[in-house]
Amino acid sequence: MAPQKTLQAFLATARAALTAPPSKRSTPLHFVVGNESADLDSLCSALFLAYFRSHEPPHTLHIPLCHLPREDLALRPELAAVLRRAAVAPDDVLTLSELPPPGPDGLLRPEDTRWLLVDHNVMTGALGRTYGGRVVGCIDHHEDEGKVPRDAAPRVIEKAGSCMSLVVEQCAEAWDALAKTDDGGGSEDRRVINEQLAYLALGPILIDTNALGSKDKTTAHDERAAAVAEAKIRSVSSVSVSGSGTGTDNETKEIIGPDLKRFFDEVSALKEDISGMSLRDILRKDYKEWTTAEDNDDNEGTGLRLGMSSVPQPFAFLVDKAGGEEAFVRELERWSASKGLDVTAVLTTCKAAANGGKFSRELLVWARTGPEVAAAVKRFAERNGKEKLGLGMWGDGRLDAEGGGSWRRCWTQAEVRNSRKQIAPMLRDALKGV
């Protein structure tokens, strides 16, 4: 086992490898990358997995890549908060802005790369079009789309509230071994390093499971991973996994100790505070995109384009920020046109104080480019709207519209257990063949 580095030192090594002149670059380069939404779970999972894959035999350097341009890091203050606990700054991480362009003549050739996916099991977008054939493994908690080879290693696709929980389980043995390694350094230094890594792991686990208190999201994977990470923290805070995941979303104080409760509250508040952002920034903060060409293995075509934004505030907030329903629709149209979307979806979440802090969801779907696309989105609503999603009219239909090949509906969503992980496959399935 190689000597243990701080996360910051590891990222400096990864940066040096990625930015080295082509003549001095060791190939193939191994990357770990999360999905296009680049949420806290994707970003932290990529950092954590790359760190331990690099430290364990055969000690192949894995470069963690944040799946977003550098300028978009500013839209994720919750990531900065978690990184601070790991003694890392946003400037230390690597983004798409640092990835050399693909091509010959000494640039980054696809054949000189290997890609390990976290928090998704299909490489989409520009990365997918260039490097999709170089995927060698994945760790994910979404629906298995069958694109990662069955003999890939690792190939872990299981239900969990947080992908990080699956990553921690995969790395737990190496983490324990590394934490106990006598490499000539001080044991106190190792304790500090592993406490920092524990906060990196606990950030997304706590956020994605509501501090292990969400009965709909928390699984045994999340409980075990939280216990593994918490054991590396020296403070008196503790995670009591017995009975976790069985209470309501308001029982966090009974599940985690005071230090982790403060950590969770800090990160959660930053994640949900979008008050200072423009509507465009809100829509792109947590955004994912798919094409039907990807679903149909059509490497030559472009297909229909579906984009989905997740927003931690209700539509009433978005409408008020825009200056009314008409202004909101105009802004949403500009955003959709800029992305070339055939179908736009916006999913909101909220814990309204006026509603006793009860968790709620809303959904808007807009078919924009013709009657066939509109018919497909109507099929989505007919197949899934009542029983699977519990959809009801939002705001007396003030955001609904149809005509001229366009069809838009905004709903309340009673079945709050279904998030983008479930809704995206439903929409994509309805769009197949259009």
Side-chain angles (χ1 to χ4, degrees), residues 211-238:
L212 302 180
S214 172
K215 61 183 179 181
D216 293 326
K217 294 183 177 180
T218 307
T219 69
H221 293 294
D222 305 298
E223 295 171 345
R224 288 193 295 266
V228 167
E230 192 275 333
K232 303 296 191 296
I233 295 178
R234 296 173 297 167
S235 67
V236 296
S237 64
S238 63

Side-chain angles (χ1 to χ4, degrees), residues 35-264:
N35 66 48
E36 281 186 284
S37 73
D39 62 3
L40 190 67
D41 197 19
S42 274
L43 296 173
C44 293
S45 292
L47 293 171
F48 193 94
L49 183 59
Y51 179 93
F52 281 101
R53 295 283 290 193
S54 301
H55 276 79
E56 64 184 2
H59 305 298
T60 301
L61 177 65
H62 283 64
I63 300 170
L65 194 67
C66 296
H67 200 154
L68 78 179
R70 177 156 297 281
E71 64 181 16
D72 285 4
L73 281 177
L75 301 178
R76 290 156 177 81
E78 66 275 17
L79 173 65
V82 174
L83 292 179
R84 277 197 299 273
R85 292 284 188 130
V88 168
D91 286 348
D92 294 320
V93 303
L94 293 162
T95 70
L96 297 180
S97 300
E98 284 74 57
L99 186 67
D105 302 324
L107 300 178
L108 189 61
R109 302 184 304 171
E111 58 267 31
D112 290 336
T113 67
R114 305 290 184 270
W115 295 81
L116 183 54
L117 310 182
V118 290
D119 205 21
H120 62 319
N121 61 85
V122 178
M123 188 185 277
T124 57
L127 280 187
R129 288 189 290 274
T130 303
Y131 302 106
R134 302 295 166 178
V135 173
V136 296
C138 72
I139 299 178
D140 186 30
H141 63 152
H142 294 85
E143 179 181 332
D144 187 353
E145 300 190 38
K147 300 296 178 68
V148 176
R150 291 291 171 183
D151 59 352
R155 191 184 194 280
V156 178
I157 304 176
E158 298 184 29
K159 180 181 178 181
S162 173
C163 181
M164 177 63 89
S165 298
L166 302 177
V167 171
V168 169
E169 286 190 318
Q170 287 292 304
C171 299
E173 185 176 342
W175 196 359
D176 283 340
L178 191 59
K180 297 173 183 176
T181 298
D182 184 3
D183 53 24
S187 60
E188 182 64 17
D189 291 342
R190 290 198 299 275
R191 285 167 63 97
V192 170
I193 290 171
N194 287 295
E195 182 174 315
Q196 293 168 353
L197 292 168
Y199 279 110
L200 180 70
L202 283 165
I205 294 174
L206 295 178
I207 289 297
D208 287 350
T209 64
N210 195 37
L212 302 180
S214 172
K215 61 183 179 181
D216 293 326
K217 294 183 177 180
T218 307
T219 69
H221 293 294
D222 305 298
E223 295 171 345
R224 288 193 295 266
V228 167
E230 192 275 333
K232 303 296 191 296
I233 295 178
R234 296 173 297 167
S235 67
V236 296
S237 64
S238 63
V239 174
S240 175
V241 299
S242 58
S244 64
T246 59
T248 69
D249 284 354
N250 299 316
E251 293 179 346
T252 58
K253 288 185 179 179
E254 298 179 5
I255 295 171
I256 62 174
D259 183 66
L260 290 185
K261 177 63 167 60
R262 286 190 294 270
F263 177 52
F264 167 73

Side-chain angles (χ1 to χ4, degrees), residues 15 34 42 77 123 149 155 177 225 286 321 331 351 355 378 383 396 399 403 412 421 433:
R15 179 181 295 274
S42 274
M123 188 185 277
R155 191 184 194 280
D286 189 354
K321 173 173 277 288
E331 286 292 324
K351 295 179 186 175
N355 197 26
K378 289 179 184 178
R383 293 173 184 172
D396 299 323
L399 289 177
T412 59
K421 286 199 294 288

Side-chain angles (χ1 to χ4, degrees), residues 344-364:
T344 299
V346 181
L347 301 83
T348 75
T349 58
C350 182
K351 295 179 186 175
N355 197 26
K358 185 178 180 181
F359 183 78
S360 62
R361 291 187 184 275
E362 301 163 338
L363 171 65
L364 180 148

